PDB file of all heavy atoms in Angstrom:
ATOM      1  N   ALA A  34      -4.252  13.769  -6.404  1.00 98.00           N
ATOM      2  CA  ALA A  34      -5.297  14.788  -6.348  1.00 98.00           C
ATOM      3  C   ALA A  34      -5.304  15.431  -4.968  1.00 98.00           C
ATOM      4  O   ALA A  34      -4.811  14.858  -3.990  1.00 98.00           O
ATOM      5  CB  ALA A  34      -6.666  14.180  -6.653  1.00 98.00           C
ATOM      6  N   TYR A  36      -7.962  17.588  -2.184  1.00 98.00           N
ATOM      7  CA  TYR A  36      -9.339  17.885  -1.816  1.00 98.00           C
ATOM      8  C   TYR A  36      -9.352  18.838  -0.631  1.00 98.00           C
ATOM      9  O   TYR A  36      -8.448  18.816   0.211  1.00 98.00           O
ATOM     10  CB  TYR A  36     -10.100  16.607  -1.428  1.00 98.00           C
ATOM     11  CG  TYR A  36     -10.102  15.562  -2.509  1.00 98.00           C
ATOM     12  CD1 TYR A  36      -9.038  14.670  -2.628  1.00 98.00           C
ATOM     13  CD2 TYR A  36     -11.130  15.490  -3.439  1.00 98.00           C
ATOM     14  CE1 TYR A  36      -9.011  13.737  -3.641  1.00 98.00           C
ATOM     15  CE2 TYR A  36     -11.110  14.548  -4.449  1.00 98.00           C
ATOM     16  CZ  TYR A  36     -10.039  13.680  -4.547  1.00 98.00           C
ATOM     17  OH  TYR A  36     -10.005  12.749  -5.561  1.00 98.00           O
ATOM     18  N   GLN A  38     -11.876  20.049   2.579  1.00 98.00           N
ATOM     19  CA  GLN A  38     -13.064  19.699   3.339  1.00 98.00           C
ATOM     20  C   GLN A  38     -13.284  20.703   4.469  1.00 98.00           C
ATOM     21  O   GLN A  38     -12.385  20.948   5.271  1.00 98.00           O
ATOM     22  CB  GLN A  38     -12.973  18.285   3.918  1.00 98.00           C
ATOM     23  CG  GLN A  38     -14.285  17.823   4.556  1.00 98.00           C
ATOM     24  CD  GLN A  38     -14.224  16.419   5.106  1.00 98.00           C
ATOM     25  OE1 GLN A  38     -13.185  15.964   5.584  1.00 98.00           O
ATOM     26  NE2 GLN A  38     -15.340  15.707   5.044  1.00 98.00           N
ATOM     27  N   GLN A  42     -19.149  19.233   5.906  1.00 98.00           N
ATOM     28  CA  GLN A  42     -19.348  19.165   4.462  1.00 98.00           C
ATOM     29  C   GLN A  42     -18.578  17.995   3.862  1.00 98.00           C
ATOM     30  O   GLN A  42     -17.608  17.494   4.452  1.00 98.00           O
ATOM     31  CB  GLN A  42     -18.887  20.461   3.790  1.00 98.00           C
ATOM     32  CG  GLN A  42     -19.696  21.675   4.168  1.00 98.00           C
ATOM     33  CD  GLN A  42     -19.264  22.907   3.386  1.00 98.00           C
ATOM     34  OE1 GLN A  42     -18.586  22.816   2.355  1.00 98.00           O
ATOM     35  NE2 GLN A  42     -19.664  24.077   3.863  1.00 98.00           N
ATOM     36  N   ALA A  43     -19.021  17.585   2.690  1.00 98.00           N
ATOM     37  CA  ALA A  43     -18.265  16.583   1.935  1.00 98.00           C
ATOM     38  C   ALA A  43     -16.996  17.226   1.375  1.00 98.00           C
ATOM     39  O   ALA A  43     -16.919  18.446   1.206  1.00 98.00           O
ATOM     40  CB  ALA A  43     -19.121  16.044   0.787  1.00 98.00           C
ATOM     41  N   PRO A  44     -15.993  16.413   1.085  1.00 98.00           N
ATOM     42  CA  PRO A  44     -14.804  16.955   0.434  1.00 98.00           C
ATOM     43  C   PRO A  44     -15.137  17.524  -0.940  1.00 98.00           C
ATOM     44  O   PRO A  44     -16.146  17.175  -1.551  1.00 98.00           O
ATOM     45  CB  PRO A  44     -13.887  15.725   0.309  1.00 98.00           C
ATOM     46  CG  PRO A  44     -14.384  14.770   1.332  1.00 98.00           C
ATOM     47  CD  PRO A  44     -15.868  14.984   1.386  1.00 98.00           C
ATOM     48  N   ARG A  45     -14.258  18.409  -1.400  1.00 98.00           N
ATOM     49  CA  ARG A  45     -14.406  19.002  -2.722  1.00 98.00           C
ATOM     50  C   ARG A  45     -13.078  18.869  -3.462  1.00 98.00           C
ATOM     51  O   ARG A  45     -12.013  19.158  -2.889  1.00 98.00           O
ATOM     52  CB  ARG A  45     -14.775  20.488  -2.597  1.00 98.00           C
ATOM     53  CG  ARG A  45     -14.868  21.225  -3.926  1.00 98.00           C
ATOM     54  CD  ARG A  45     -15.349  22.642  -3.770  1.00 98.00           C
ATOM     55  NE  ARG A  45     -14.385  23.547  -3.164  1.00 98.00           N
ATOM     56  CZ  ARG A  45     -14.250  24.838  -3.466  1.00 98.00           C
ATOM     57  NH1 ARG A  45     -15.005  25.363  -4.405  1.00 98.00           N
ATOM     58  NH2 ARG A  45     -13.383  25.601  -2.825  1.00 98.00           N
ATOM     59  N   LEU A  46     -13.156  18.434  -4.713  1.00 98.00           N
ATOM     60  CA  LEU A  46     -11.948  18.288  -5.520  1.00 98.00           C
ATOM     61  C   LEU A  46     -11.363  19.649  -5.850  1.00 98.00           C
ATOM     62  O   LEU A  46     -12.065  20.541  -6.342  1.00 98.00           O
ATOM     63  CB  LEU A  46     -12.277  17.543  -6.824  1.00 98.00           C
ATOM     64  CG  LEU A  46     -11.125  17.391  -7.818  1.00 98.00           C
ATOM     65  CD1 LEU A  46     -10.048  16.450  -7.258  1.00 98.00           C
ATOM     66  CD2 LEU A  46     -11.659  16.870  -9.153  1.00 98.00           C
ATOM     67  N   SER A  49      -6.467  17.809  -9.781  1.00 96.00           N
ATOM     68  CA  SER A  49      -6.278  16.440 -10.244  1.00 96.00           C
ATOM     69  C   SER A  49      -4.948  16.337 -10.968  1.00 96.00           C
ATOM     70  O   SER A  49      -4.421  17.345 -11.461  1.00 96.00           O
ATOM     71  CB  SER A  49      -7.421  16.019 -11.161  1.00 96.00           C
ATOM     72  OG  SER A  49      -7.441  16.808 -12.331  1.00 96.00           O
ATOM     73  N   ASP A  50      -4.425  15.108 -11.014  1.00 96.00           N
ATOM     74  CA  ASP A  50      -3.165  14.852 -11.695  1.00 96.00           C
ATOM     75  C   ASP A  50      -2.109  15.905 -11.332  1.00 96.00           C
ATOM     76  O   ASP A  50      -1.423  16.449 -12.194  1.00 96.00           O
ATOM     77  CB  ASP A  50      -3.373  14.757 -13.208  1.00 96.00           C
ATOM     78  CG  ASP A  50      -4.161  13.504 -13.575  1.00 96.00           C
ATOM     79  OD1 ASP A  50      -4.237  12.577 -12.735  1.00 96.00           O
ATOM     80  OD2 ASP A  50      -4.707  13.448 -14.683  1.00 96.00           O
ATOM     81  N   TYR A  87      -6.686  17.290   1.933  1.00 98.00           N
ATOM     82  CA  TYR A  87      -6.220  15.913   1.798  1.00 98.00           C
ATOM     83  C   TYR A  87      -5.620  15.683   0.411  1.00 98.00           C
ATOM     84  O   TYR A  87      -6.155  16.175  -0.586  1.00 98.00           O
ATOM     85  CB  TYR A  87      -7.383  14.918   1.960  1.00 98.00           C
ATOM     86  CG  TYR A  87      -8.023  14.902   3.314  1.00 98.00           C
ATOM     87  CD1 TYR A  87      -9.164  15.655   3.581  1.00 98.00           C
ATOM     88  CD2 TYR A  87      -7.510  14.109   4.339  1.00 98.00           C
ATOM     89  CE1 TYR A  87      -9.770  15.639   4.828  1.00 98.00           C
ATOM     90  CE2 TYR A  87      -8.110  14.083   5.594  1.00 98.00           C
ATOM     91  CZ  TYR A  87      -9.229  14.852   5.824  1.00 98.00           C
ATOM     92  OH  TYR A  87      -9.829  14.829   7.062  1.00 98.00           O
ATOM     93  N   HIS A  89      -4.547  12.514  -2.330  1.00 98.00           N
ATOM     94  CA  HIS A  89      -5.073  11.181  -2.659  1.00 98.00           C
ATOM     95  C   HIS A  89      -4.330  10.662  -3.883  1.00 98.00           C
ATOM     96  O   HIS A  89      -4.159  11.398  -4.859  1.00 98.00           O
ATOM     97  CB  HIS A  89      -6.584  11.282  -2.929  1.00 98.00           C
ATOM     98  CG  HIS A  89      -7.132  10.245  -3.856  1.00 98.00           C
ATOM     99  ND1 HIS A  89      -7.760  10.552  -5.039  1.00 98.00           N
ATOM    100  CD2 HIS A  89      -7.150   8.891  -3.763  1.00 98.00           C
ATOM    101  CE1 HIS A  89      -8.132   9.447  -5.656  1.00 98.00           C
ATOM    102  NE2 HIS A  89      -7.782   8.429  -4.899  1.00 98.00           N
ATOM    103  N   ARG A  91      -4.135   7.710  -6.922  1.00 96.00           N
ATOM    104  CA  ARG A  91      -4.882   6.678  -7.653  1.00 96.00           C
ATOM    105  C   ARG A  91      -3.929   5.926  -8.590  1.00 96.00           C
ATOM    106  O   ARG A  91      -4.340   5.369  -9.587  1.00 96.00           O
ATOM    107  CB  ARG A  91      -6.051   7.300  -8.415  1.00 96.00           C
ATOM    108  CG  ARG A  91      -5.661   8.377  -9.399  1.00 96.00           C
ATOM    109  CD  ARG A  91      -5.839   7.892 -10.810  1.00 96.00           C
ATOM    110  NE  ARG A  91      -5.486   8.908 -11.798  1.00 96.00           N
ATOM    111  CZ  ARG A  91      -5.252   8.613 -13.067  1.00 96.00           C
ATOM    112  NH1 ARG A  91      -5.333   7.365 -13.508  1.00 96.00           N
ATOM    113  NH2 ARG A  91      -4.950   9.562 -13.918  1.00 96.00           N
ATOM    114  N   TRP A  94      -3.763   0.348  -6.619  1.00 95.00           N
ATOM    115  CA  TRP A  94      -4.723  -0.127  -5.635  1.00 95.00           C
ATOM    116  C   TRP A  94      -3.954  -0.681  -4.431  1.00 95.00           C
ATOM    117  O   TRP A  94      -2.932  -1.337  -4.606  1.00 95.00           O
ATOM    118  CB  TRP A  94      -5.608  -1.233  -6.217  1.00 95.00           C
ATOM    119  CG  TRP A  94      -6.387  -0.825  -7.406  1.00 95.00           C
ATOM    120  CD1 TRP A  94      -6.104  -1.109  -8.707  1.00 95.00           C
ATOM    121  CD2 TRP A  94      -7.591  -0.022  -7.424  1.00 95.00           C
ATOM    122  NE1 TRP A  94      -7.050  -0.552  -9.523  1.00 95.00           N
ATOM    123  CE2 TRP A  94      -7.981   0.123  -8.769  1.00 95.00           C
ATOM    124  CE3 TRP A  94      -8.379   0.583  -6.442  1.00 95.00           C
ATOM    125  CZ2 TRP A  94      -9.108   0.843  -9.153  1.00 95.00           C
ATOM    126  CZ3 TRP A  94      -9.500   1.296  -6.823  1.00 95.00           C
ATOM    127  CH2 TRP A  94      -9.856   1.420  -8.174  1.00 95.00           C
ATOM    128  N   PRO A  95      -4.421  -0.467  -3.212  1.00 96.00           N
ATOM    129  CA  PRO A  95      -5.601   0.323  -2.881  1.00 96.00           C
ATOM    130  C   PRO A  95      -5.321   1.815  -2.961  1.00 96.00           C
ATOM    131  O   PRO A  95      -4.242   2.274  -2.612  1.00 96.00           O
ATOM    132  CB  PRO A  95      -5.880  -0.090  -1.432  1.00 96.00           C
ATOM    133  CG  PRO A  95      -4.536  -0.419  -0.882  1.00 96.00           C
ATOM    134  CD  PRO A  95      -3.764  -1.029  -2.022  1.00 96.00           C
ATOM    135  N   TRP A  96      -6.295   2.577  -3.440  1.00 97.00           N
ATOM    136  CA  TRP A  96      -6.176   4.015  -3.407  1.00 97.00           C
ATOM    137  C   TRP A  96      -6.027   4.460  -1.948  1.00 97.00           C
ATOM    138  O   TRP A  96      -6.626   3.854  -1.055  1.00 97.00           O
ATOM    139  CB  TRP A  96      -7.413   4.655  -4.023  1.00 97.00           C
ATOM    140  CG  TRP A  96      -7.500   4.480  -5.505  1.00 97.00           C
ATOM    141  CD1 TRP A  96      -6.542   3.998  -6.356  1.00 97.00           C
ATOM    142  CD2 TRP A  96      -8.625   4.795  -6.322  1.00 97.00           C
ATOM    143  NE1 TRP A  96      -7.009   3.998  -7.646  1.00 97.00           N
ATOM    144  CE2 TRP A  96      -8.275   4.487  -7.662  1.00 97.00           C
ATOM    145  CE3 TRP A  96      -9.900   5.309  -6.065  1.00 97.00           C
ATOM    146  CZ2 TRP A  96      -9.144   4.675  -8.731  1.00 97.00           C
ATOM    147  CZ3 TRP A  96     -10.766   5.502  -7.130  1.00 97.00           C
ATOM    148  CH2 TRP A  96     -10.388   5.187  -8.443  1.00 97.00           C
ATOM    149  N   PHE A  98      -5.369   7.952   0.914  1.00 98.00           N
ATOM    150  CA  PHE A  98      -5.396   9.370   1.219  1.00 98.00           C
ATOM    151  C   PHE A  98      -4.281   9.679   2.225  1.00 98.00           C
ATOM    152  O   PHE A  98      -3.901   8.816   3.035  1.00 98.00           O
ATOM    153  CB  PHE A  98      -6.721   9.776   1.878  1.00 98.00           C
ATOM    154  CG  PHE A  98      -7.904   9.812   0.959  1.00 98.00           C
ATOM    155  CD1 PHE A  98      -8.698   8.682   0.791  1.00 98.00           C
ATOM    156  CD2 PHE A  98      -8.248  10.968   0.279  1.00 98.00           C
ATOM    157  CE1 PHE A  98      -9.807   8.714  -0.053  1.00 98.00           C
ATOM    158  CE2 PHE A  98      -9.358  11.016  -0.556  1.00 98.00           C
ATOM    159  CZ  PHE A  98     -10.134   9.885  -0.724  1.00 98.00           C
ATOM    160  N   GLN A 100      -3.225  11.933   5.621  1.00 98.00           N
ATOM    161  CA  GLN A 100      -3.964  12.090   6.874  1.00 98.00           C
ATOM    162  C   GLN A 100      -4.566  13.490   7.026  1.00 98.00           C
ATOM    163  O   GLN A 100      -5.342  13.721   7.954  1.00 98.00           O
ATOM    164  CB  GLN A 100      -3.054  11.773   8.076  1.00 98.00           C
ATOM    165  CG  GLN A 100      -2.148  12.899   8.519  1.00 98.00           C
ATOM    166  CD  GLN A 100      -0.909  13.093   7.657  1.00 98.00           C
ATOM    167  OE1 GLN A 100      -0.785  12.557   6.557  1.00 98.00           O
ATOM    168  NE2 GLN A 100       0.027  13.883   8.173  1.00 98.00           N
TER     169      GLN A 100
ATOM    170  N   SER B  35     -17.520   5.197  -6.421  1.00 98.00           N
ATOM    171  CA  SER B  35     -16.790   4.727  -5.246  1.00 98.00           C
ATOM    172  C   SER B  35     -17.528   5.047  -3.961  1.00 98.00           C
ATOM    173  O   SER B  35     -18.421   5.898  -3.930  1.00 98.00           O
ATOM    174  CB  SER B  35     -15.413   5.406  -5.175  1.00 98.00           C
ATOM    175  OG  SER B  35     -14.598   5.078  -6.268  1.00 98.00           O
ATOM    176  N   VAL B  37     -16.303   6.178  -0.071  1.00 98.00           N
ATOM    177  CA  VAL B  37     -15.222   6.678   0.768  1.00 98.00           C
ATOM    178  C   VAL B  37     -15.836   6.944   2.139  1.00 98.00           C
ATOM    179  O   VAL B  37     -16.946   7.473   2.224  1.00 98.00           O
ATOM    180  CB  VAL B  37     -14.619   7.985   0.198  1.00 98.00           C
ATOM    181  CG1 VAL B  37     -13.563   8.565   1.138  1.00 98.00           C
ATOM    182  CG2 VAL B  37     -14.031   7.736  -1.192  1.00 98.00           C
ATOM    183  N   GLN B  39     -15.394   8.170   6.446  1.00 98.00           N
ATOM    184  CA  GLN B  39     -14.683   9.053   7.368  1.00 98.00           C
ATOM    185  C   GLN B  39     -15.186   8.787   8.776  1.00 98.00           C
ATOM    186  O   GLN B  39     -16.323   9.110   9.107  1.00 98.00           O
ATOM    187  CB  GLN B  39     -14.904  10.512   6.981  1.00 98.00           C
ATOM    188  CG  GLN B  39     -14.086  11.500   7.779  1.00 98.00           C
ATOM    189  CD  GLN B  39     -14.139  12.890   7.161  1.00 98.00           C
ATOM    190  OE1 GLN B  39     -15.167  13.331   6.649  1.00 98.00           O
ATOM    191  NE2 GLN B  39     -13.029  13.610   7.199  1.00 98.00           N
ATOM    192  N   LYS B  43     -11.871  11.848  12.109  1.00 98.00           N
ATOM    193  CA  LYS B  43     -10.702  11.282  11.437  1.00 98.00           C
ATOM    194  C   LYS B  43     -10.648  11.694   9.971  1.00 98.00           C
ATOM    195  O   LYS B  43     -11.481  12.466   9.494  1.00 98.00           O
ATOM    196  CB  LYS B  43     -10.748   9.741  11.532  1.00 98.00           C
ATOM    197  CG  LYS B  43     -10.791   9.216  12.952  1.00 98.00           C
ATOM    198  CD  LYS B  43      -9.563   9.586  13.751  1.00 98.00           C
ATOM    199  CE  LYS B  43      -9.585   8.965  15.132  1.00 98.00           C
ATOM    200  NZ  LYS B  43      -8.395   9.386  15.946  1.00 98.00           N
ATOM    201  N   GLY B  44      -9.663  11.156   9.258  1.00 98.00           N
ATOM    202  CA  GLY B  44      -9.474  11.484   7.857  1.00 98.00           C
ATOM    203  C   GLY B  44     -10.295  10.593   6.933  1.00 98.00           C
ATOM    204  O   GLY B  44     -11.125   9.795   7.369  1.00 98.00           O
ATOM    205  N   LEU B  45     -10.041  10.761   5.650  1.00 98.00           N
ATOM    206  CA  LEU B  45     -10.773  10.032   4.624  1.00 98.00           C
ATOM    207  C   LEU B  45     -10.136   8.664   4.373  1.00 98.00           C
ATOM    208  O   LEU B  45      -8.912   8.524   4.379  1.00 98.00           O
ATOM    209  CB  LEU B  45     -10.772  10.833   3.320  1.00 98.00           C
ATOM    210  CG  LEU B  45     -11.385  12.235   3.393  1.00 98.00           C
ATOM    211  CD1 LEU B  45     -11.133  12.989   2.097  1.00 98.00           C
ATOM    212  CD2 LEU B  45     -12.871  12.151   3.695  1.00 98.00           C
ATOM    213  N   TRP B  47     -10.580   5.462   1.554  1.00 98.00           N
ATOM    214  CA  TRP B  47     -11.221   4.829   0.412  1.00 98.00           C
ATOM    215  C   TRP B  47     -11.693   3.434   0.807  1.00 98.00           C
ATOM    216  O   TRP B  47     -10.973   2.693   1.485  1.00 98.00           O
ATOM    217  CB  TRP B  47     -10.239   4.740  -0.752  1.00 98.00           C
ATOM    218  CG  TRP B  47     -10.730   3.889  -1.870  1.00 98.00           C
ATOM    219  CD1 TRP B  47     -11.677   4.221  -2.801  1.00 98.00           C
ATOM    220  CD2 TRP B  47     -10.329   2.554  -2.166  1.00 98.00           C
ATOM    221  NE1 TRP B  47     -11.889   3.163  -3.662  1.00 98.00           N
ATOM    222  CE2 TRP B  47     -11.077   2.132  -3.296  1.00 98.00           C
ATOM    223  CE3 TRP B  47      -9.424   1.661  -1.600  1.00 98.00           C
ATOM    224  CZ2 TRP B  47     -10.928   0.871  -3.854  1.00 98.00           C
ATOM    225  CZ3 TRP B  47      -9.259   0.403  -2.146  1.00 98.00           C
ATOM    226  CH2 TRP B  47     -10.007   0.013  -3.271  1.00 98.00           C
ATOM    227  N   THR B  50     -14.521   0.674  -5.084  1.00 97.00           N
ATOM    228  CA  THR B  50     -14.816   1.285  -6.380  1.00 97.00           C
ATOM    229  C   THR B  50     -15.374   0.236  -7.322  1.00 97.00           C
ATOM    230  O   THR B  50     -14.935  -0.923  -7.302  1.00 97.00           O
ATOM    231  CB  THR B  50     -13.545   1.909  -6.993  1.00 97.00           C
ATOM    232  OG1 THR B  50     -13.077   2.967  -6.154  1.00 97.00           O
ATOM    233  CG2 THR B  50     -13.794   2.457  -8.393  1.00 97.00           C
ATOM    234  N   TYR B  58     -13.188  -3.187  -6.725  1.00 97.00           N
ATOM    235  CA  TYR B  58     -11.959  -3.063  -5.949  1.00 97.00           C
ATOM    236  C   TYR B  58     -12.347  -2.723  -4.517  1.00 97.00           C
ATOM    237  O   TYR B  58     -13.302  -1.976  -4.286  1.00 97.00           O
ATOM    238  CB  TYR B  58     -11.073  -1.958  -6.522  1.00 97.00           C
ATOM    239  CG  TYR B  58     -10.813  -2.124  -7.999  1.00 97.00           C
ATOM    240  CD1 TYR B  58     -11.696  -1.608  -8.937  1.00 97.00           C
ATOM    241  CD2 TYR B  58      -9.694  -2.821  -8.445  1.00 97.00           C
ATOM    242  CE1 TYR B  58     -11.478  -1.774 -10.294  1.00 97.00           C
ATOM    243  CE2 TYR B  58      -9.463  -2.986  -9.801  1.00 97.00           C
ATOM    244  CZ  TYR B  58     -10.362  -2.467 -10.718  1.00 97.00           C
ATOM    245  OH  TYR B  58     -10.146  -2.646 -12.060  1.00 97.00           O
ATOM    246  N   TYR B  94     -19.493   8.245   2.165  1.00 98.00           N
ATOM    247  CA  TYR B  94     -19.762   9.098   1.009  1.00 98.00           C
ATOM    248  C   TYR B  94     -19.713   8.255  -0.266  1.00 98.00           C
ATOM    249  O   TYR B  94     -18.820   7.400  -0.410  1.00 98.00           O
ATOM    250  CB  TYR B  94     -18.697  10.182   0.875  1.00 98.00           C
ATOM    251  CG  TYR B  94     -18.631  11.185   2.000  1.00 98.00           C
ATOM    252  CD1 TYR B  94     -17.661  11.094   2.999  1.00 98.00           C
ATOM    253  CD2 TYR B  94     -19.503  12.275   2.040  1.00 98.00           C
ATOM    254  CE1 TYR B  94     -17.576  12.032   4.009  1.00 98.00           C
ATOM    255  CE2 TYR B  94     -19.426  13.222   3.051  1.00 98.00           C
ATOM    256  CZ  TYR B  94     -18.458  13.088   4.033  1.00 98.00           C
ATOM    257  OH  TYR B  94     -18.376  14.031   5.026  1.00 98.00           O
ATOM    258  N   ASN B  98     -16.137   8.892 -10.157  1.00 96.00           N
ATOM    259  CA  ASN B  98     -14.774   8.853 -10.675  1.00 96.00           C
ATOM    260  C   ASN B  98     -14.787   8.998 -12.189  1.00 96.00           C
ATOM    261  O   ASN B  98     -15.172   8.079 -12.894  1.00 96.00           O
ATOM    262  CB  ASN B  98     -14.100   7.514 -10.348  1.00 96.00           C
ATOM    263  CG  ASN B  98     -14.053   7.227  -8.874  1.00 96.00           C
ATOM    264  OD1 ASN B  98     -14.787   6.381  -8.346  1.00 96.00           O
ATOM    265  ND2 ASN B  98     -13.182   7.940  -8.179  1.00 96.00           N
ATOM    266  N   GLY B 101      -9.995   9.986 -15.058  1.00 75.00           N
ATOM    267  CA  GLY B 101      -8.754  10.225 -14.314  1.00 75.00           C
ATOM    268  C   GLY B 101      -8.643   9.479 -13.008  1.00 75.00           C
ATOM    269  O   GLY B 101      -7.555   9.359 -12.448  1.00 75.00           O
ATOM    270  N   GLY B 102      -9.763   8.973 -12.513  1.00 84.00           N
ATOM    271  CA  GLY B 102      -9.700   8.169 -11.301  1.00 84.00           C
ATOM    272  C   GLY B 102      -9.831   8.926 -10.005  1.00 84.00           C
ATOM    273  O   GLY B 102      -9.897   8.330  -8.943  1.00 84.00           O
ATOM    274  N   PHE B 103      -9.829  10.254 -10.069  1.00 95.00           N
ATOM    275  CA  PHE B 103     -10.016  11.008  -8.841  1.00 95.00           C
ATOM    276  C   PHE B 103     -11.525  11.105  -8.546  1.00 95.00           C
ATOM    277  O   PHE B 103     -12.337  10.545  -9.269  1.00 95.00           O
ATOM    278  CB  PHE B 103      -9.389  12.395  -8.989  1.00 95.00           C
ATOM    279  CG  PHE B 103      -9.637  13.018 -10.331  1.00 95.00           C
ATOM    280  CD1 PHE B 103     -10.773  13.766 -10.554  1.00 95.00           C
ATOM    281  CD2 PHE B 103      -8.752  12.834 -11.386  1.00 95.00           C
ATOM    282  CE1 PHE B 103     -11.026  14.315 -11.800  1.00 95.00           C
ATOM    283  CE2 PHE B 103      -8.998  13.372 -12.630  1.00 95.00           C
ATOM    284  CZ  PHE B 103     -10.145  14.117 -12.840  1.00 95.00           C
ATOM    285  N   PHE B 104     -11.892  11.775  -7.449  1.00 97.00           N
ATOM    286  CA  PHE B 104     -13.294  11.888  -7.041  1.00 97.00           C
ATOM    287  C   PHE B 104     -13.769  13.303  -7.361  1.00 97.00           C
ATOM    288  O   PHE B 104     -13.424  14.238  -6.641  1.00 97.00           O
ATOM    289  CB  PHE B 104     -13.438  11.624  -5.546  1.00 97.00           C
ATOM    290  CG  PHE B 104     -12.832  10.320  -5.084  1.00 97.00           C
ATOM    291  CD1 PHE B 104     -11.636  10.305  -4.397  1.00 97.00           C
ATOM    292  CD2 PHE B 104     -13.465   9.122  -5.355  1.00 97.00           C
ATOM    293  CE1 PHE B 104     -11.067   9.112  -3.978  1.00 97.00           C
ATOM    294  CE2 PHE B 104     -12.902   7.920  -4.935  1.00 97.00           C
ATOM    295  CZ  PHE B 104     -11.705   7.909  -4.246  1.00 97.00           C
ATOM    296  N   ASP B 105     -14.556  13.456  -8.432  1.00 96.00           N
ATOM    297  CA  ASP B 105     -14.902  14.810  -8.852  1.00 96.00           C
ATOM    298  C   ASP B 105     -16.240  15.301  -8.332  1.00 96.00           C
ATOM    299  O   ASP B 105     -16.524  16.496  -8.412  1.00 96.00           O
ATOM    300  CB  ASP B 105     -14.800  14.974 -10.371  1.00 96.00           C
ATOM    301  CG  ASP B 105     -15.940  14.287 -11.115  1.00 96.00           C
ATOM    302  OD1 ASP B 105     -16.591  13.397 -10.525  1.00 96.00           O
ATOM    303  OD2 ASP B 105     -16.142  14.625 -12.301  1.00 96.00           O
ATOM    304  N   TRP B 107     -19.181  14.461  -4.996  1.00 98.00           N
ATOM    305  CA  TRP B 107     -19.428  13.711  -3.767  1.00 98.00           C
ATOM    306  C   TRP B 107     -20.871  13.903  -3.316  1.00 98.00           C
ATOM    307  O   TRP B 107     -21.458  14.970  -3.510  1.00 98.00           O
ATOM    308  CB  TRP B 107     -18.513  14.214  -2.648  1.00 98.00           C
ATOM    309  CG  TRP B 107     -17.056  14.064  -2.877  1.00 98.00           C
ATOM    310  CD1 TRP B 107     -16.290  14.724  -3.810  1.00 98.00           C
ATOM    311  CD2 TRP B 107     -16.153  13.244  -2.138  1.00 98.00           C
ATOM    312  NE1 TRP B 107     -14.969  14.339  -3.692  1.00 98.00           N
ATOM    313  CE2 TRP B 107     -14.858  13.439  -2.667  1.00 98.00           C
ATOM    314  CE3 TRP B 107     -16.306  12.353  -1.067  1.00 98.00           C
ATOM    315  CZ2 TRP B 107     -13.733  12.772  -2.179  1.00 98.00           C
ATOM    316  CZ3 TRP B 107     -15.189  11.693  -0.571  1.00 98.00           C
ATOM    317  CH2 TRP B 107     -13.908  11.905  -1.126  1.00 98.00           C
ATOM    318  N   GLY B 108     -21.424  12.871  -2.680  1.00 98.00           N
ATOM    319  CA  GLY B 108     -22.693  13.037  -1.995  1.00 98.00           C
ATOM    320  C   GLY B 108     -22.481  13.698  -0.653  1.00 98.00           C
ATOM    321  O   GLY B 108     -21.355  14.018  -0.269  1.00 98.00           O
TER     322      GLY B 108
END
Side-chain angles (χ1 to χ4, degrees):
Chain A
Y36 303 85
Q38 188 179 33
Q42 295 185 17
R45 176 175 72 146
L46 176 68
S49 64
D50 291 342
Y87 295 95
H89 153 240
R91 58 109 179 163
W94 301 102
W96 289 350
F98 287 91
Q100 82 282 13
Chain B
S35 297
V37 175
Q39 187 168 37
K43 302 298 184 183
L45 301 172
W47 170 76
T50 297
Y58 307 87
Y94 296 101
N98 302 106
F103 41 88
F104 307 105
D105 74 341
W107 298 68

